[in-house]
Structure formats: structure tokens, C-alpha cells
Amino acid sequence: MDISFDPSSIPMLSEALSLAHTQTTVGTAMLAENLDNYKDMGDEMVKMMERSVNPGLGANIDIRC
């Protein structure tokens, strides 16, 4: 089995690795932003559901003694 190495391919390999790293970094940043957005939407949905169960809760105060 003959394995040969072409030193002229190093710049292309380096460029490919750099591109892959950039794509991974961008993808991770986008995923983190989406997760934050979904968390915010989930929090808002929970608040909305809590308000729908007791829509008048806290609207009136009984001050009679």
C-alpha cells in the first residue's frame, strides 16, 4: 500500500478546515439564538395559559371588614 503526501495540498486543506470551522461556529450561534427564542416563546405561552385559567384573578379587591 503506497500512501503519498502532496505538500502542495496543505493550503487547500487549511482553507477547507477554516471554512468548516466557520460554518460550525455560525451554525452553533444560530442554534443558540433559536433556543433562546423558543424559551421566550414557551415562557410567554405559560403566562398566557395561566391567565386563561383565572382571567379575573386579581382584578377585584374586597375591602369589606
Side-chain angles (χ1 to χ4, degrees), residues 4-5 14-15 17-18 21 23 25 27 29 31-32 34-35 37-41 45-46 48 50 56 58 61 63:
S4 61
F5 176 71
S14 177
E15 185 177 332
L17 289 174
S18 177
H21 180 266
Q23 289 173 337
T25 302
L31 178 61
N34 284 338
L35 287 173
N37 288 340
Y38 284 127
K39 181 187 177 303
D40 292 342
M41 287 180 359
M45 185 175 291
V46 168
M48 187 172 52
E50 287 172 347
I61 299 174
I63 56 172

Side-chain angles (χ1 to χ4, degrees), residues 2 10 13 25 27 29 31 34 39 43 45 51 57-62:
D2 184 25
I10 291 175
L13 178 59
T25 302
L31 178 61
N34 284 338
K39 181 187 177 303
D43 292 344
M45 185 175 291
R51 285 190 299 262
L57 186 64
N60 298 315
I61 299 174
D62 187 3

